[in-house]
Amino acid sequence: MREFNAHRATYAERIKLLNALKSIDQRWEPQLEETIEAFSHDWERRIDSSVTTIIGLLREALTFRINRVVRVSDLQSDADRREIQQSLQKTFQDGLRKLEVEAQAQIRSHFRHNVWNLPADSLLQKDLFSDEVGRALGLNRVQMALAGAAAGATTGVGIDLSLAGGSLGAGLLLGAAAGSVLGALGGAALAKVDIQRTLGVERFSLGPVSNQRFPFILLDRILLYCARAMNWSHGRKAADDSAPNRVPDRLAKRKRGYTEELSQDQLKTLAKFFGDVPKAKESKFEDDSRLILAELLQGLSASEIDSRAEL
């Protein structure tokens, strides 16, 4: 006897079932081996497509910028300029939200989901720039300081990384303190406003994103979305979630994403890739970043990493 709930089965559980069926009758083994191989290849293709979507989202988000040209005669005071800047910040955030929504739609299509629902309290239902998302996802301050230093972009550039396992040192503490400022995603903390005046007009530019913590938060959000897409059975809509014999979802100890659990080397690689993207240049760290993301998604598929379905 082997119990199998088709309404809630994940990829890993389906593969386990097919492998178990091989032991029932050896005559089935060749056909089942062929089925498992085809299923595995198709899954690898979906993961590769998802990695491409994630890399594309990060590239678009980290190079996104908006401009607005205003005649000087229309600017009567500094209050007018502040109003324009606030309007730009809202438009900028809306643009980033739109990029995330488009990437989520691509992820759903990779895993062929037409029916999709999320709990009301899910982090994926919260606004991308909400305090709750900012607290739960992305790197902690010490990790942010180390990753930023590796990319040569934090206040604590002079950090001795060898001290990370012991005494943090003054440089790291300085970087961690800066991380508390970088943790705010709203308004001017997300990107810098540039104002240029020429020929009777003022040109307001906002972007690209300068907040070093934001790409890790955005990455965590899309990884959570992938986890749900990969582990959400197409028969889930017919499942009775209140049934006493249902297999419960694995619960995370606290609300958090996946980037916080990456190794220091992986974080450095991602930070360097994120640092290269806004400069509009090809990054030698992109291939390694793709491998990191593929390993994460493979781990989620094989249940080596919990899917954090409650998030």
Side-chain angles (χ1 to χ4, degrees), residues 6-299:
H7 287 159
R8 304 182 66 87
T10 64
Y11 166 78
E13 290 164 348
R14 294 179 202 132
I15 293 295
K16 287 177 183 177
L17 176 66
L18 291 172
N19 279 314
L21 290 175
K22 290 193 301 184
S23 63
I24 295 177
D25 190 328
Q26 288 185 336
R27 292 175 298 178
W28 300 353
E29 192 165 343
Q31 293 93 330
L32 286 170
E33 286 283 8
E34 186 177 345
T35 300
I36 291 170
E37 183 177 3
F39 193 6
S40 299
H41 285 168
D42 179 63
W43 200 257
E44 288 176 6
R45 178 190 60 78
R46 297 186 192 197
I47 285 180
D48 185 61
S49 296
S50 298
V51 170
T52 297
T53 293
I54 295 172
I55 291 292
L57 169 63
L58 292 167
R59 278 197 166 278
E60 289 189 69
L62 294 178
T63 55
F64 182 66
R65 65 173 68 229
I66 55 174
N67 302 293
R68 183 174 173 185
V69 178
V70 182
R71 289 181 300 182
V72 173
S73 58
D74 293 335
L75 298 171
Q76 302 299 321
S77 65
D78 288 341
D80 292 334
R81 290 181 175 82
R82 285 195 295 271
E83 184 178 342
I84 290 172
Q85 291 181 42
Q86 290 170 359
S87 174
L88 281 176
Q89 288 162 5
K90 181 182 182 303
T91 303
F92 189 72
Q93 291 184 355
D94 287 344
L96 292 173
R97 291 185 184 101
K98 184 174 183 288
L99 292 176
E100 184 190 38
V101 169
E102 291 171 349
Q104 290 174 345
Q106 289 180 33
I107 295 298
R108 289 199 306 275
S109 69
H110 296 329
F111 294 96
R112 301 175 186 175
H113 284 295
N114 294 314
V115 176
W116 187 263
N117 52 7
L118 291 167
D121 61 346
S122 169
L123 281 177
L124 296 172
Q125 292 277 53
K126 306 295 182 183
D127 183 72
L128 174 61
F129 302 103
S130 67
D131 289 341
E132 186 173 357
V133 168
R135 286 193 300 268
L137 305 183
L139 306 183
N140 60 46
R141 288 184 295 175
V142 172
Q143 286 177 314
M144 193 64 249
L146 289 170
T154 67
T155 306
V157 171
I159 293 172
D160 180 0
L161 295 180
S162 65
L163 297 176
S167 173
L168 295 179
L172 181 54
L173 291 176
L174 181 61
S180 64
V181 177
L182 295 172
L185 292 182
L190 182 61
K192 297 175 182 176
V193 177
D194 180 53
I195 305 175
Q196 295 181 343
R197 184 171 183 175
T198 179
L199 298 177
V201 299
E202 288 192 14
R203 181 185 179 89
F204 294 77
S205 300
L206 182 60
V209 170
S210 57
N211 185 301
Q212 298 160 42
R213 207 168 160 257
F214 176 74
F216 288 98
I217 292 175
L218 185 63
L219 175 57
D220 262 338
R221 281 258 290 197
I222 198 66
L223 286 173
L224 282 175
Y225 204 88
C226 287
R228 190 167 186 84
M230 288 191 295
N231 292 295
W232 182 266
S233 168
H234 288 81
R236 184 72 174 256
K237 60 182 181 292
D240 181 3
D241 282 348
S242 62
N245 63 342
R246 66 165 281 246
V247 179
D249 294 314
R250 290 177 60 188
L251 299 180
K253 293 181 180 178
R254 65 181 180 84
K255 285 191 174 185
R256 72 198 192 284
Y258 297 104
T259 57
E260 198 174 279
E261 299 177 8
L262 295 175
S263 70
Q264 194 175 122
D265 286 341
Q266 289 173 321
L267 291 178
K268 289 178 184 177
T269 296
L270 290 172
K272 290 174 181 177
F273 172 59
F274 296 155
D276 284 344
V277 170
K279 301 170 187 174
K281 69 178 186 179
E282 292 299 317
S283 175
K284 64 180 181 180
F285 301 101
E286 180 170 336
D287 288 343
D288 287 340
S289 295
R290 290 183 65 95
L291 287 175
I292 292 169
L293 298 179
E295 287 175 9
L296 269 171
L297 296 184
Q298 290 284 5

